[in-house]
Coordinates of all heavy atoms in Angstrom, one line a residue:
P395 N -19.6 -46.4 -5.2 CA -18.2 -46.7 -4.9 C -17.3 -45.5 -5.0 O -17.6 -44.6 -5.7 CB -17.8 -47.7 -6.0 CG -18.8 -47.4 -7.1 CD -20.0 -46.9 -6.5
G396 N -16.3 -45.4 -4.2 CA -15.3 -44.3 -4.2 C -14.2 -44.6 -5.2 O -14.1 -45.6 -5.9
R397 N -13.3 -43.6 -5.3 CA -12.2 -43.7 -6.2 C -11.2 -44.9 -5.9 O -10.7 -45.5 -6.9 CB -11.4 -42.4 -6.3 CG -12.2 -41.2 -6.6 CD -12.7 -41.2 -8.0 NE -13.5 -40.0 -8.3 CZ -13.0 -39.0 -9.0 NH1 -11.8 -38.9 -9.4 NH2 -13.8 -37.9 -9.2
F398 N -11.1 -45.2 -4.7 CA -10.2 -46.3 -4.3 C -10.8 -47.6 -4.9 O -10.1 -48.5 -5.4 CB -10.0 -46.4 -2.8 CG -8.8 -45.7 -2.3 CD1 -8.9 -44.4 -1.8 CD2 -7.5 -46.3 -2.3 CE1 -7.8 -43.7 -1.4 CE2 -6.4 -45.6 -1.9 CZ -6.6 -44.3 -1.4
E399 N -12.1 -47.8 -4.7 CA -12.8 -49.0 -5.2 C -12.7 -49.1 -6.7 O -12.4 -50.2 -7.3 CB -14.3 -49.0 -4.8 CG -14.7 -50.2 -4.0 CD -16.1 -50.1 -3.5 OE1 -16.4 -49.1 -2.8 OE2 -16.8 -51.1 -3.8
L400 N -12.8 -48.0 -7.4 CA -12.8 -47.9 -8.9 C -11.4 -48.3 -9.4 O -11.2 -48.8 -10.4 CB -13.2 -46.6 -9.4 CG -14.7 -46.2 -9.2 CD1 -14.9 -44.8 -9.6 CD2 -15.6 -47.1 -10.0
A401 N -10.4 -47.9 -8.6 CA -9.0 -48.1 -8.9 C -8.5 -49.5 -8.5 O -7.3 -49.8 -8.7 CB -8.1 -47.1 -8.3
H402 N -9.4 -50.4 -8.0 CA -8.9 -51.7 -7.5 C -8.3 -52.5 -8.7 O -8.8 -52.6 -9.8 CB -10.1 -52.5 -7.0 CG -9.8 -53.9 -6.6 ND1 -9.0 -54.2 -5.5 CD2 -10.2 -55.1 -7.1 CE1 -8.9 -55.5 -5.4 NE2 -9.6 -56.1 -6.3
G403 N -7.0 -52.9 -8.4 CA -6.3 -53.6 -9.4 C -5.5 -52.7 -10.3 O -4.7 -53.2 -11.1
G404 N -5.7 -51.4 -10.2 CA -5.1 -50.4 -11.1 C -4.3 -49.4 -10.3 O -3.7 -49.7 -9.3
T405 N -4.3 -48.2 -10.8 CA -3.5 -47.1 -10.2 C -4.4 -45.9 -9.8 O -5.3 -45.6 -10.6 CB -2.4 -46.6 -11.1 OG1 -1.6 -47.8 -11.5 CG2 -1.5 -45.6 -10.5
L406 N -4.2 -45.3 -8.7 CA -4.9 -44.1 -8.2 C -3.9 -42.9 -8.3 O -2.9 -43.0 -7.6 CB -5.5 -44.3 -6.8 CG -6.3 -43.1 -6.3 CD1 -7.6 -43.0 -7.1 CD2 -6.6 -43.3 -4.8
F407 N -4.2 -41.9 -9.1 CA -3.4 -40.7 -9.2 C -4.0 -39.6 -8.4 O -5.0 -39.1 -8.7 CB -3.2 -40.3 -10.7 CG -2.4 -39.1 -10.9 CD1 -1.2 -38.9 -10.3 CD2 -2.9 -38.0 -11.7 CE1 -0.5 -37.7 -10.5 CE2 -2.2 -36.9 -11.9 CZ -1.0 -36.7 -11.2
L408 N -3.3 -39.2 -7.3 CA -3.7 -38.2 -6.4 C -3.0 -36.9 -6.8 O -1.9 -36.6 -6.4 CB -3.4 -38.5 -5.0 CG -4.1 -39.8 -4.4 CD1 -3.7 -40.0 -3.0 CD2 -5.6 -39.8 -4.5
D409 N -3.7 -36.1 -7.6 CA -3.1 -34.8 -8.1 C -3.4 -33.8 -7.0 O -4.4 -33.7 -6.4 CB -3.8 -34.4 -9.4 CG -2.9 -33.3 -10.1 OD1 -1.8 -33.1 -9.7 OD2 -3.4 -32.8 -11.2
E410 N -2.4 -32.9 -6.8 CA -2.4 -31.9 -5.7 C -2.7 -32.5 -4.4 O -3.6 -32.1 -3.6 CB -3.5 -30.8 -6.1 CG -3.4 -30.2 -7.4 CD -2.1 -29.4 -7.6 OE1 -1.4 -29.1 -6.6 OE2 -1.7 -29.1 -8.7
V411 N -1.9 -33.5 -4.0 CA -2.1 -34.3 -2.8 C -2.0 -33.4 -1.5 O -2.5 -33.7 -0.5 CB -1.1 -35.4 -2.7 CG1 0.3 -35.0 -2.5 CG2 -1.5 -36.4 -1.7
G412 N -1.3 -32.3 -1.7 CA -1.1 -31.4 -0.5 C -2.4 -30.7 -0.1 O -2.5 -30.1 1.0
E413 N -3.5 -30.8 -0.9 CA -4.8 -30.2 -0.6 C -5.7 -31.1 0.2 O -6.8 -30.7 0.6 CB -5.5 -29.8 -1.9 CG -4.7 -28.9 -2.8 CD -4.4 -27.5 -2.1 OE1 -5.2 -27.1 -1.3 OE2 -3.4 -27.0 -2.4
I414 N -5.3 -32.3 0.5 CA -6.1 -33.2 1.3 C -6.2 -32.7 2.7 O -5.2 -32.5 3.4 CB -5.5 -34.7 1.3 CG1 -5.5 -35.2 -0.2 CG2 -6.3 -35.6 2.2 CD1 -4.9 -36.6 -0.3
P415 N -7.4 -32.6 3.3 CA -7.6 -32.1 4.7 C -6.8 -33.0 5.7 O -6.7 -34.2 5.5 CB -9.1 -32.2 4.9 CG -9.7 -32.2 3.6 CD -8.7 -32.9 2.7
L416 N -6.3 -32.4 6.7 CA -5.5 -33.1 7.7 C -6.3 -34.2 8.3 O -5.7 -35.3 8.6 CB -5.0 -32.1 8.7 CG -4.0 -32.6 9.8 CD1 -2.7 -33.1 9.1 CD2 -3.7 -31.6 10.8
E417 N -7.6 -34.0 8.6 CA -8.4 -35.0 9.3 C -8.6 -36.3 8.4 O -8.9 -37.3 9.0 CB -9.7 -34.4 9.7 CG -10.6 -33.9 8.6 CD -10.4 -32.5 8.3 OE1 -9.3 -31.9 8.7 OE2 -11.2 -31.9 7.7
L418 N -8.5 -36.1 7.1 CA -8.6 -37.3 6.3 C -7.3 -38.0 6.0 O -7.3 -39.2 5.5 CB -9.3 -36.9 4.9 CG -9.7 -38.0 4.0 CD1 -10.7 -38.9 4.6 CD2 -10.1 -37.4 2.6
Q419 N -6.2 -37.4 6.3 CA -4.9 -38.0 6.0 C -4.7 -39.3 6.7 O -4.0 -40.2 6.2 CB -3.8 -37.0 6.2 CG -3.8 -35.8 5.3 CD -2.8 -34.8 5.6 OE1 -1.8 -35.0 6.3 NE2 -2.9 -33.5 5.1
S420 N -5.2 -39.4 8.0 CA -5.0 -40.6 8.7 C -5.7 -41.8 8.1 O -5.2 -42.9 8.0 CB -5.5 -40.4 10.2 OG -6.9 -40.1 10.2
K421 N -6.9 -41.5 7.5 CA -7.7 -42.6 6.9 C -7.0 -43.0 5.5 O -7.0 -44.2 5.2 CB -9.1 -42.1 6.6 CG -9.9 -41.9 7.8 CD -11.4 -41.6 7.5 CE -12.2 -41.5 8.8 NZ -13.6 -41.2 8.6
L422 N -6.4 -42.0 4.9 CA -5.7 -42.3 3.6 C -4.4 -43.1 4.0 O -4.1 -44.1 3.3 CB -5.3 -41.0 2.9 CG -4.4 -41.1 1.7 CD1 -5.2 -42.0 0.6 CD2 -4.1 -39.8 1.1
L423 N -3.8 -42.8 5.1 CA -2.6 -43.6 5.5 C -3.0 -45.0 5.8 O -2.2 -45.9 5.4 CB -2.0 -42.9 6.7 CG -0.7 -43.6 7.3 CD1 0.4 -43.6 6.3 CD2 -0.3 -42.9 8.6
R424 N -4.1 -45.2 6.4 CA -4.6 -46.6 6.7 C -4.8 -47.4 5.5 O -4.4 -48.6 5.4 CB -5.9 -46.6 7.5 CG -6.3 -48.0 7.9 CD -7.8 -48.0 8.2 NE -8.2 -49.4 8.3 CZ -9.5 -49.8 8.2 NH1 -10.4 -48.9 8.1 NH2 -9.8 -51.1 8.3
V425 N -5.4 -46.8 4.4 CA -5.6 -47.5 3.2 C -4.3 -47.9 2.5 O -4.1 -49.0 2.0 CB -6.5 -46.7 2.2 CG1 -6.7 -47.5 0.9 CG2 -7.8 -46.3 2.8
L426 N -3.3 -46.9 2.6 CA -2.0 -47.2 2.0 C -1.3 -48.3 2.7 O -0.5 -49.1 2.2 CB -1.2 -45.9 2.0 CG -1.7 -44.8 1.2 CD1 -0.8 -43.6 1.2 CD2 -1.9 -45.2 -0.3
Q427 N -1.5 -48.4 4.1 CA -0.8 -49.4 4.9 C -1.4 -50.8 4.8 O -0.8 -51.8 4.6 CB -0.7 -48.9 6.3 CG 0.2 -47.8 6.6 CD 0.2 -47.2 8.0 OE1 -0.8 -47.5 8.7 NE2 1.2 -46.6 8.4
D428 N -2.8 -50.8 5.0 CA -3.5 -52.0 5.1 C -4.3 -52.4 3.9 O -4.8 -53.5 3.8 CB -4.5 -51.9 6.3 CG -3.8 -51.6 7.6 OD1 -2.6 -51.9 7.7 OD2 -4.4 -51.0 8.5
Q429 N -4.4 -51.5 2.9 CA -5.3 -51.8 1.7 C -6.7 -52.1 2.1 O -7.3 -53.0 1.5 CB -4.6 -52.9 0.9 CG -3.3 -52.5 0.3 CD -3.3 -51.6 -0.9 OE1 -3.7 -52.0 -2.0 NE2 -2.9 -50.4 -0.7
Q430 N -7.2 -51.4 3.2 CA -8.6 -51.7 3.6 C -9.2 -50.3 3.9 O -8.6 -49.3 4.3 CB -8.6 -52.5 4.9 CG -8.1 -53.9 4.8 CD -8.1 -54.7 6.1 OE1 -8.1 -54.1 7.2 NE2 -8.1 -56.0 6.0
F431 N -10.6 -50.3 3.8 CA -11.3 -49.1 4.0 C -12.8 -49.4 4.3 O -13.2 -50.6 4.0 CB -11.2 -48.1 2.9 CG -11.9 -48.5 1.6 CD1 -13.2 -48.0 1.3 CD2 -11.3 -49.4 0.7 CE1 -13.9 -48.5 0.2 CE2 -12.0 -49.8 -0.4 CZ -13.3 -49.4 -0.7
E432 N -13.6 -48.5 4.7 CA -15.0 -48.6 4.8 C -15.7 -47.4 4.1 O -15.2 -46.3 4.2 CB -15.5 -48.6 6.3 CG -15.1 -49.8 7.1 CD -13.7 -49.6 7.7 OE1 -13.3 -48.5 8.0 OE2 -13.0 -50.7 7.9
R433 N -16.8 -47.7 3.4 CA -17.6 -46.7 2.8 C -18.2 -45.8 3.9 O -18.4 -46.3 5.0 CB -18.7 -47.2 1.9 CG -18.2 -47.9 0.6 CD -19.4 -48.4 -0.2 NE -19.0 -48.9 -1.5 CZ -19.9 -49.4 -2.3 NH1 -21.2 -49.4 -2.0 NH2 -19.5 -49.9 -3.5
V434 N -18.5 -44.6 3.6 CA -19.2 -43.7 4.5 C -20.5 -44.3 4.9 O -21.3 -44.6 4.0 CB -19.3 -42.3 4.0 CG1 -20.1 -41.4 4.9 CG2 -17.9 -41.7 3.6
G435 N -20.8 -44.4 6.2 CA -22.1 -45.0 6.6 C -22.2 -46.5 6.6 O -23.2 -47.0 6.9
D436 N -21.0 -47.1 6.4 CA -21.0 -48.6 6.3 C -20.0 -49.1 7.3 O -19.0 -48.5 7.6 CB -20.6 -49.1 4.9 CG -21.0 -50.6 4.7 OD1 -21.6 -51.2 5.5 OD2 -20.6 -51.1 3.6
N437 N -20.3 -50.3 7.9 CA -19.4 -50.9 8.9 C -18.7 -52.1 8.3 O -18.0 -52.8 9.0 CB -20.1 -51.3 10.2 CG -21.3 -52.2 9.9 OD1 -21.5 -52.7 8.8 ND2 -22.1 -52.5 10.9
R438 N -18.9 -52.3 7.0 CA -18.2 -53.5 6.3 C -16.8 -53.0 5.8 O -16.7 -52.0 5.1 CB -19.0 -53.9 5.1 CG -18.3 -55.0 4.3 CD -19.1 -55.2 3.0 NE -18.4 -56.0 2.0 CZ -18.7 -56.1 0.8 NH1 -19.9 -55.6 0.3 NH2 -18.0 -56.8 -0.1
T439 N -15.8 -53.8 6.2 CA -14.4 -53.5 5.8 C -14.2 -54.1 4.4 O -14.5 -55.3 4.2 CB -13.4 -54.0 6.8 OG1 -13.6 -53.3 8.0 CG2 -12.0 -53.7 6.3
R440 N -13.7 -53.3 3.5 CA -13.5 -53.8 2.1 C -11.9 -53.7 1.8 O -11.2 -52.9 2.3 CB -14.2 -52.9 1.1 CG -15.7 -52.8 1.3 CD -16.3 -51.7 0.4 NE -17.7 -51.6 0.7 CZ -18.7 -52.2 0.1 NH1 -18.5 -52.9 -0.9 NH2 -20.0 -52.0 0.4
E441 N -11.5 -54.7 1.1 CA -10.1 -54.7 0.7 C -9.9 -54.3 -0.7 O -10.7 -54.6 -1.6 CB -9.6 -56.2 0.9 CG -9.6 -56.6 2.4 CD -8.9 -58.0 2.6 OE1 -8.5 -58.6 1.5 OE2 -8.8 -58.4 3.7
V442 N -8.8 -53.6 -1.0 CA -8.4 -53.1 -2.3 C -7.0 -53.4 -2.6 O -6.2 -53.5 -1.7 CB -8.8 -51.6 -2.5 CG1 -10.2 -51.4 -2.5 CG2 -8.1 -50.8 -1.4
D443 N -6.7 -53.4 -3.9 CA -5.3 -53.6 -4.3 C -5.0 -52.4 -5.2 O -5.4 -52.4 -6.4 CB -5.1 -54.9 -5.0 CG -3.7 -55.0 -5.7 OD1 -2.8 -54.3 -5.2 OD2 -3.5 -55.8 -6.6
V444 N -4.4 -51.3 -4.7 CA -4.3 -50.1 -5.4 C -2.8 -49.6 -5.3 O -2.3 -49.6 -4.2 CB -5.3 -49.0 -4.9 CG1 -5.0 -47.6 -5.5 CG2 -6.7 -49.4 -5.1
R445 N -2.3 -49.1 -6.4 CA -1.0 -48.4 -6.4 C -1.3 -46.9 -6.4 O -2.1 -46.5 -7.2 CB -0.1 -48.8 -7.6 CG 1.2 -48.1 -7.6 CD 2.0 -48.4 -8.9 NE 3.3 -48.0 -8.8 CZ 4.2 -48.2 -9.7 NH1 3.9 -48.9 -10.8 NH2 5.5 -47.8 -9.5
V446 N -0.6 -46.2 -5.6 CA -0.8 -44.7 -5.5 C 0.3 -44.0 -6.1 O 1.5 -44.2 -5.7 CB -1.1 -44.3 -4.0 CG1 -1.2 -42.8 -3.9 CG2 -2.4 -45.0 -3.5
I447 N 0.0 -43.1 -7.0 CA 1.0 -42.1 -7.5 C 0.4 -40.7 -7.1 O -0.7 -40.4 -7.5 CB 1.1 -42.2 -9.0 CG1 1.6 -43.6 -9.4 CG2 2.1 -41.1 -9.5 CD1 1.7 -43.8 -10.9
A448 N 1.2 -39.9 -6.4 CA 0.8 -38.6 -5.9 C 1.6 -37.5 -6.6 O 2.7 -37.8 -7.0 CB 0.9 -38.5 -4.4
A449 N 1.0 -36.4 -6.7 CA 1.7 -35.2 -7.3 C 1.4 -34.0 -6.6 O 0.3 -33.8 -6.0 CB 1.3 -35.1 -8.8

Side-chain angles (χ1 to χ4, degrees):
R397 301 295 179 98
F398 268 95
E399 237 174 306
L400 293 172
H402 178 64
T405 304
L406 184 66
F407 176 50
L408 301 179
D409 198 8
E410 306 298 347
V411 70
E413 303 299 329
I414 298 177
L416 187 63
E417 60 271 18
L418 186 63
Q419 292 177 19
S420 60
K421 295 186 177 182
L422 177 59
L423 180 63
R424 182 205 168 193
V425 181
L426 297 181
Q427 290 175 338
D428 304 333
Q429 297 282 287
Q430 294 180 340
F431 71 96
E432 291 87 29
R433 288 182 178 179
V434 178
D436 195 7
N437 55 11
R438 172 189 167 193
T439 299
R440 303 169 188 265
E441 295 187 356
V442 288
D443 175 22
V444 174
R445 180 187 193 175
V446 174
I447 300 176

